[in-house]
């Protein structure tokens, strides 16, 4: 069972805001149905524990969330955003927990779905929740740490930090080298390269879109191999090539349409763009990677003493 604390209008006078604790099962919380005081919505149990009394007398009413003039100074969507954020940060909702549907949240907080959506979008921008198409909203798991000084690959990084990695090949082709990469890859006009478009998952969640630009003369026959895994391991097993050094460049950006569609995210959301020019153990250019990471999935960690 999980619980949400919500603020709702009271049934007694003189107390503008009260807290109610909503208990619900973790599974299928978007199907809980209409909230009511009987605590029975059909297939799923939903128990309402009010902290106020029906009697209008001298009994103590529930304590307001904030003093007048402070709580009311915020728009309602920010009040809801803060309430949900506090519960997530306090551990009331665990990583990857699914939030109740927008309709149910609207009923719990006594507001419209438009206001609820505004609050959820704010939480998404802060990296506390994420949305999956046709599935709903989920609590964001902890970020993975990336040390640019190390040559670790995606699968190694995720495994070392307790996750389960997976790579899915979306598209593979041989194309003319883009003019912007010609000098970096030491190629000439009309030279070609292998382009791999891949999606990377951690614990079942797509968190990184990657385009690998590989040199055909270094890795002949690459497109014939199984590319649904670690490219580092493929290079080593089939070509005896190792990543030994890289030049890294990263900066914040917004998700392009194609990338957002692959990640199941909304185009224009914040993202981290990471570019890597990789060199092998012989000091030669091996490939160039372009990656888009969800803004809530990665943090950069560097120790200058290494």
């Amino acid at each position: 069972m999980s619980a949400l604390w919500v603020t709702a209008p009271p049934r007694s006078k003189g107390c503008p805001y009260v807290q109610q604790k909503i208990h619900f099962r973790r599974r299928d919380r978007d199907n809980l149905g209409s909230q009511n005081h009987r605590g029975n919505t059909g297939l799923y149990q939903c128990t309402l524990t009010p902290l106020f009394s029906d009697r209008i007398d001298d009994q103590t009413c529930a304590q307001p969330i904030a003093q007048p003039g402070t709580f009311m100074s915020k728009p309602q969507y920010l009040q809801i955003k803060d309430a949900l954020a506090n519960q997530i940060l306090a551990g009331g909702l665990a990583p990857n927990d699914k939030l109740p549907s927008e309709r149910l949240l609207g009923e719990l907080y006594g507001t419209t779905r438009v206001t609820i959506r505004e609050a959820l979008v704010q939480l998404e921008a802060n990296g506390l929740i994420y949305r999956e198409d046709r599935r709903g909203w989920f609590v964001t798991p902890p970020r993975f740490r990336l040390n640019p000084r190390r040559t670790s690959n995606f699968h190694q990084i995720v495994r070392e930090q307790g996750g389960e990695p997976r790579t899915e090949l979306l598209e593979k082709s041989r194309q003319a080298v883009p003019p912007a990469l010609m000098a970096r890859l030491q190629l000439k006009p009309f030279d070609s390269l292998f382009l791999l478009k891949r999606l990377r998952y951690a614990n079942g969640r797509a968190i990184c879109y990657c385009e690998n630009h590989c040199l055909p003369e270094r890795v002949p026959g690459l497109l014939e191999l199984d590319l649904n895994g670690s490219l580092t391991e493929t290079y080593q097993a089939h070509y005896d090539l190792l990543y030994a050094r890289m030049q890294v460049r990263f900066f914040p950006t917004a998700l392009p349409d194609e990338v957002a569609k692959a990640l199941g995210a909304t185009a224009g959301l914040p993202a981290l763009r990471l570019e890597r020019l990789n060199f092998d153990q012989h000091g030669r250019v091996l490939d160039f990677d372009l990656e888009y990471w969800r803004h809530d999935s990665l943090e950069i960690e560097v120790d200058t003493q290494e």
Side-chain angles (χ1 to χ4, degrees):
M1 298 285 286
S2 295
L4 280 176
W5 283 95
V6 301
T7 305
R11 291 174 291 170
S12 55
K13 296 180 180 180
C15 183
Y17 292 97
V18 297
Q19 286 186 310
Q20 302 174 26
K21 190 175 184 180
I22 310 300
H23 295 278
F24 49 85
R25 299 190 185 281
R26 291 181 183 274
R27 58 188 177 92
D28 294 329
R29 278 172 280 178
D30 55 337
N31 296 318
L32 283 172
S34 299
Q35 181 59 259
N36 55 60
H37 287 70
R38 291 185 299 274
N40 185 354
T41 57
L43 294 177
Y44 303 96
Q45 181 182 5
C46 186
T47 304
L48 179 66
T49 306
L51 297 185
F52 54 79
S53 171
D54 286 326
R55 298 174 57 188
I56 305 176
D57 50 22
D58 57 355
Q59 290 188 358
T60 303
C61 193
Q63 179 125 8
I65 297 297
Q67 295 299 321
T70 56
F71 186 77
M72 289 297 293
S73 65
K74 280 188 177 183
Q76 188 181 26
Y77 77 94
L78 290 180
Q79 299 172 24
I80 297 171
K81 185 265 289 185
D82 290 345
L84 290 172
N86 289 338
Q87 293 185 59
I88 293 172
L89 295 175
L93 293 170
N96 296 310
D97 266 1
K98 186 177 181 181
L99 271 66
S101 68
E102 294 176 12
R103 176 188 58 79
L104 179 55
L105 286 173
E107 293 177 4
L108 296 179
Y109 285 100
T111 188
T112 66
R113 289 186 64 177
V114 173
T115 300
I116 292 296
R117 175 60 67 90
E118 287 182 299
L120 296 175
V121 168
Q122 290 284 321
L123 289 170
E124 182 181 34
N126 290 343
L128 292 178
I129 64 173
Y130 67 95
R131 182 176 179 270
E132 290 191 1
D133 289 339
R134 296 180 295 276
R135 290 195 61 206
W137 295 91
F138 298 82
V139 178
T140 305
R143 289 179 170 88
F144 290 96
R145 299 181 303 279
L146 173 67
N147 184 350
R149 296 175 62 90
R150 298 182 58 193
T151 56
S152 303
N153 62 73
F154 175 82
H155 284 240
Q156 181 181 355
I157 291 171
V158 173
R159 288 195 189 102
E160 288 178 349
Q161 298 177 42
E164 182 62 35
R166 179 168 69 89
T167 296
E168 176 187 353
L169 178 67
L170 302 177
E171 181 182 325
K172 60 181 179 180
S173 61
R174 183 163 186 161
Q175 299 186 1
V177 58
L181 295 181
M182 201 174 299
R184 302 183 74 175
L185 292 174
Q186 301 175 10
L187 297 176
K188 299 177 181 179
F190 307 110
D191 282 345
S192 63
L193 49 72
F194 294 143
L195 174 61
L196 312 178
K197 295 183 179 181
R198 305 192 301 163
L199 198 59
R200 289 170 167 172
Y201 295 79
N203 301 320
R205 181 191 179 209
I207 62 173
C208 177
Y209 170 90
C210 180
E211 294 184 355
N212 306 104
H213 302 78
C214 312
L215 301 177
E217 66 274 14
R218 304 300 314 281
V219 287
L222 178 67
L223 299 187
E224 309 306 317
L225 302 177
D226 181 6
L227 302 171
N228 291 289
S230 169
L231 200 57
T232 301
E233 296 172 2
T234 299
Y235 281 172
Q236 184 174 1
H238 294 273
Y239 304 100
D240 196 26
L241 293 172
L242 305 174
Y243 286 116
R245 183 173 66 89
M246 59 185 175
Q247 295 176 359
V248 183
R249 178 172 177 252
F250 51 88
F251 53 89
T253 185
L255 288 176
D257 291 343
E258 179 185 3
V259 176
K261 184 177 180 180
L263 290 170
T266 303
L269 277 179
L272 181 67
R273 174 175 168 137
L274 192 148
E275 302 175 358
R276 284 193 290 206
L277 183 64
N278 299 301
F279 298 82
D280 64 16
Q281 69 269 36
H282 309 295
R284 299 176 59 188
V285 173
L286 186 53
D287 61 19
F288 174 81
D289 298 339
L290 171 61
E291 302 174 358
Y292 287 91
W293 291 76
R294 286 180 178 264
H295 75 292
D296 57 14
S297 66
L298 186 70
E299 62 185 25
I300 307 298
E301 182 180 83
V302 180
D303 187 342
T304 58
Q305 292 185 348
E306 294 183 3

